[in-house]
Amino acid sequence: MVLVYAESPRGQLKKAAFEAVTFGKKLAEQLGQPCAAVVLGTTQSDPGELGRYGVSRVLHVADERFDILDSQAATQALAEVARQVGATTIVMSHTSTGKTLAGRLAVRLNAGLVSGVSGVASVESDGTLVVRKSVFSGKAMAEYAIVSPVKVLSLMGNAIRLEVSGQPVSAEVLTVSAPAPRIRVRAVRTVEGRVPLPEAEIVVSAGRGMKDPSNWGIVEELAEALGATTACSRPVADSHWRPHHEHVGQTGIAIRPNLYIAIGISGAIQHLAGVNNSKVIVVINKDPEAPFFKAADYGVVGDLFEVVPRLTEAIRKFKAAQ
Amino acid sequence: MKFLVCISQTPDTTARVAFTPDGKAYDSNGVTFIMNPYDEWYALVRACELREALGGTVVALHVGPAANETTLRKALAIGADEAVRIDAEATSSAFTARQIAEYARTEAFDILFLGKETIDYNGAEVGAMVAEHLDLPYIALASKLDLEGNTAVVERDIEGGVEVVEVNLPFVVSAAKGMAEQRIPNMRGIMMARTKPLKVVPAVPVEEHVRVVKFTLPPPKAGVKLVNPEDMDELVRLLHEEAKVL
Ligand SMILES: Cc1cc2nc3c(=O)[nH]c(=O)nc-3n(C[C@H](O)[C@H](O)[C@H](O)COP(=O)(O)OP(=O)(O)OC[C@H]3O[C@@H](n4cnc5c(N)ncnc54)[C@H](O)[C@@H]3O)c2cc1C
């Protein structure tokens, strides 16, 4: 049995969970095993909706003790659910939640773990599972074989396409024992209205070429027109022109959107490391020698203060005609 | 207070990425190694700041061969009081986590710091594993950490924001950008580091569950298509019709 932990941070089942279920269901088919999804904590929408992504059983531990992320309580719950349903492969998302839990669960279950997986390479006849992941901050790919009987995988965001292949099911409510949480949540501060960077399909990113934080209006407008999330290079975040959670690259967030638009960013190797898994890269830079053009699919050599507003206009026109 | 900081070593960020001919290992020929930036810039510096404010000891721990001791000396130069090297190649996160946990058991640490991930294998696995071995709470991706008596107030990065959490000591935490500002070791620190204690401890055996099959380099990009800066309608057309991302 493949068990997918469909995460629901702050009660919300979102893209990361849907991707994990889509992936888990396909993996189960390859293994010739059934697949179930488990949701921990109370949710704002019906967990049975996960059935749309192809899973025929949804287990819901509808207990508000799991509404906050306490890795010890969640690990205990997942280990117990895995035992109850006889799961030997556990899939989760490589998100802030998955990074908190995957290693812990692997130790608890004496399982082999590969985190940040982008796909399955093969299933061997002896049960060995070979998975792919991006390493060296996107500069190389690796294949790892998990040889232990119990396996834990976490799936990189945007690595696979969501697939609707089933119908909502009615969730089975489960109870599990769990230690009292040792972590208390004081506050949550989120940037409203924008898709978080790791989940974003289109990212508009800007660098030092912007000259001054007061110039970001044109970047915001382009992002708005595209429905994109904004990002930035490291020096921009370091000088507090933009919040640090926008910093992408080797020492920032690694992303893999469908479209990455780089504005006034030179394309230093450490920057490319975090973005070169993007499907399509557009570079806008006034310096034709900027290294970023070597990593780009489309390039515009020109002054960003002229090119970006022009691009925003063109996008608006295109969207209006759609 | 007693702080443990787990230090790993990674290829320099500008190092060329290449693999051995069988594709099974990183080819470190001619590569300069650095302290993993998250361990150095954030975890180690924050531990030193807390020690400076509250007193106590910062122990820097590294799993790796003798050749890596320069990285530990750097940690001592930045401000760690003692260093420990577990004498083995850090072959996997499971192996490394087990070594760290075995050592941590021998001393009562109040906070165990790690970087949020290494910039080579990008696992973000070790911290959670250490916490489980030691049955301690774990907070991943912390971008701020303050102590209020026996309670830590920690901001952890979540998708699109931060969550502020409280936890009592002891616990394990992984450091992300924001927790501290990078420190460049000064001459005095470098001199003092030479005489600070560096202890070598044998490793415990660990059964490996994961094997490397192969590493590969991505295919080179086809080459950039330049678009006239006056004609952004053309770029939109290409993104829509050719790249199919709009
Ligand atoms: C250990 C280490 C880790 C690092 N990690 C990261 C990381 O994670 N992420 C990261 O981004 N960097 C990282 N860096 C820094 C990296 O090396 C570069 O310094 C940084 O990416 C440069 O940022 P930038 O492109 O915004 O600025 P610059 O390099 O200053 O580039 C600005 C660009 O804007 C262009 N420009 C200027 N004016 C205009 C205009 N009017 N119109 C159009 N174009 C214009 C210029 O031609 C130039 O190419 C790291 C460095 C080290 C040593």
Side-chain angles (χ1 to χ4, degrees):
Chain A
M1 163 87 87
V2 174
L3 180 68
V4 180
Y5 166 50
E7 64 174 45
S8 52
R10 291 155 292 285
Q12 289 176 319
L13 285 159
K14 295 209 294 200
K15 190 173 160 201
F18 306 152
E19 286 178 348
V21 173
T22 304
F23 175 82
K25 186 236 172 184
K26 285 204 171 151
L27 175 60
E29 279 170 5
Q30 272 178 283
L31 293 168
Q33 291 176 5
C35 179
V38 59
V39 174
L40 300 181
T42 58
T43 52
Q44 289 166 17
S45 57
D46 175 10
E49 293 286 323
L50 291 172
R52 289 187 195 283
Y53 301 96
V55 72
S56 54
R57 265 186 94 184
V58 176
L59 313 166
H60 188 196
V61 182
D63 180 337
E64 50 188 46
R65 280 182 306 170
F66 298 108
D67 288 0
I68 66 153
L69 179 63
D70 179 279
S71 64
Q72 289 168 294
T75 298
Q76 166 80 25
L78 291 175
E80 198 171 312
V81 173
R83 190 181 48 76
Q84 281 185 24
V85 300
T88 49
T89 301
I90 293 103
V91 173
M92 60 177 83
S93 311
H94 192 56
T95 53
S96 62
T97 303
K99 290 173 189 173
T100 306
L101 293 181
R104 181 147 225 154
L105 186 65
V107 169
R108 176 73 60 101
L109 299 176
N110 191 25
L113 165 66
V114 180
S115 63
V117 166
S118 59
V120 173
S122 62
V123 177
E124 310 290 322
S125 54
D126 65 356
T128 297
L129 179 63
V130 183
V131 294
R132 277 194 206 100
K133 78 173 272 192
S134 160
V135 288
F136 291 93
S137 306
K139 291 177 220 162
M141 289 297 294
E143 284 185 13
Y144 289 104
I146 313 181
V147 297
S148 49
V150 183
K151 304 166 175 72
V152 177
L153 302 177
S154 69
L155 178 69
M156 189 73 188
N158 279 354
I160 60 156
R161 261 187 191 288
L162 284 184
E163 256 172 51
V164 175
S165 59
Q167 294 297 320
V169 296
S170 75
E172 304 163 41
V173 174
L174 280 189
T175 47
V176 295
S177 66
R182 283 156 81 179
I183 285 174
R184 301 168 294 279
V185 174
R186 268 198 188 175
V188 177
R189 297 197 300 267
T190 50
V191 191
E192 294 302 328
R194 281 270 166 82
V195 181
L197 255 185
E199 291 169 25
E201 305 210 335
I202 304 182
V203 172
V204 173
S205 186
R208 233 169 11 194
M210 296 296 294
K211 308 273 191 299
D212 191 88
S214 64
N215 293 333
W216 245 264
I218 54 171
V219 173
E220 297 276 358
E221 277 171 34
L222 176 58
E224 188 72 44
L226 283 163
T229 300
T230 48
C232 69
S233 67
R234 177 175 162 218
V236 163
D238 280 356
S239 39
H240 305 288
W241 290 6
R242 301 294 292 174
H244 80 79
H245 64 76
E246 281 199 1
H247 161 193
V248 292
Q250 187 150 17
T251 52
I253 304 175
I255 53 172
R256 46 191 311 150
N258 283 334
L259 175 58
Y260 183 76
I261 304 183
I263 301 166
I265 302 176
S266 57
I269 188 162
Q270 298 94 350
H271 183 85
L272 296 181
V275 305
N276 57 9
N277 272 324
S278 307
K279 284 184 195 86
V280 173
I281 295 178
V282 173
V283 169
I284 301 172
N285 197 307
K286 69 175 180 192
D287 173 11
E289 301 298 322
F292 219 145
F293 285 116
K294 292 204 178 64
D297 300 283
Y298 300 98
V300 182
V301 179
D303 186 342
L304 67 90
F305 296 102
E306 289 163 21
V307 172
V308 173
R310 213 174 275 148
L311 177 57
T312 306
E313 260 331 291
I315 298 281
R316 285 192 185 131
K317 212 163 70 190
F318 166 77
K319 294 254 166 157
Q322 283 281 296
Chain B
M1 290 270 173
K2 212 156 175 185
F3 306 109
L4 180 72
V5 184
C6 305
I7 303 283
S8 73
Q9 204 179 263
T10 61
D12 175 29
T13 52
T14 55
R16 131 204 104 99
V17 175
F19 300 100
T20 52
D22 65 357
K24 292 218 184 272
Y26 177 69
D27 180 358
S28 59
N29 244 319
V31 170
T32 317
F33 282 83
I34 58 168
M35 201 185 310
N36 184 45
Y38 294 107
D39 310 352
E40 176 186 335
W41 302 348
Y42 312 124
L44 177 60
V45 174
R46 189 64 191 135
C48 291
E49 288 171 354
L50 290 171
R51 190 261 335 266
E52 283 152 19
L54 305 163
T57 316
V58 173
V59 179
L61 180 150
H62 173 66
V63 182
N68 300 4
E69 283 186 4
T70 44
T71 294
L72 275 175
R73 289 284 170 209
K74 183 171 184 197
L76 292 168
I78 289 171
D81 302 289
E82 299 166 20
V84 176
R85 182 174 65 82
I86 315 275
D87 188 23
E89 207 58 69
T91 43
S92 71
S93 24
F95 180 87
T96 308
R98 184 63 202 293
Q99 308 308 326
I100 295 169
E102 288 305 316
Y103 183 77
R105 266 187 238 284
T106 65
E107 295 187 47
F109 290 106
D110 294 289
I111 307 180
L112 291 84
F113 288 88
L114 299 90
K116 73 162 186 177
E117 65 182 38
T118 56
I119 60 171
D120 47 9
Y121 298 102
N122 307 109
E125 297 167 3
V126 177
M129 290 175 166
V130 170
E132 179 63 15
H133 283 301
L134 298 172
D135 195 23
L136 290 177
Y138 178 53
I139 299 169
L141 314 178
S143 50
K144 194 165 188 288
L145 186 159
D146 290 303
L147 284 178
E148 295 176 359
N150 209 27
T151 302
V153 180
V154 183
E155 293 191 11
R156 68 176 190 99
D157 289 348
I158 56 175
E159 286 67 28
V162 293
E163 186 174 78
V164 188
V165 301
E166 278 178 17
V167 61
N168 292 350
L169 306 181
F171 67 98
V172 181
V173 65
S174 81
K177 179 176 182 159
M179 193 190 262
E181 299 274 348
Q182 182 180 4
R183 277 189 189 178
I184 310 293
N186 58 23
M187 214 46 216
R188 188 162 160 271
I190 295 168
M191 297 302 286
M192 279 168 58
R194 294 194 188 148
T195 53
K196 287 180 179 173
L198 191 162
K199 184 162 79 180
V200 180
V201 176
V204 296
V206 173
E207 186 195 357
E208 294 285 5
H209 293 321
V210 176
R211 257 191 357 239
V212 172
V213 177
K214 64 171 188 238
F215 290 109
T216 47
L217 293 171
K221 280 259 177 189
V224 61
K225 193 177 257 190
L226 290 178
V227 181
N228 177 355
E230 304 291 332
D231 192 2
M232 286 301 97
D233 291 324
E234 172 65 2
L235 178 59
V236 172
R237 189 191 66 78
L238 288 168
L239 292 176
H240 176 58
E241 290 175 12
E242 190 177 84
K244 299 192 169 51
V245 289
L246 284 185

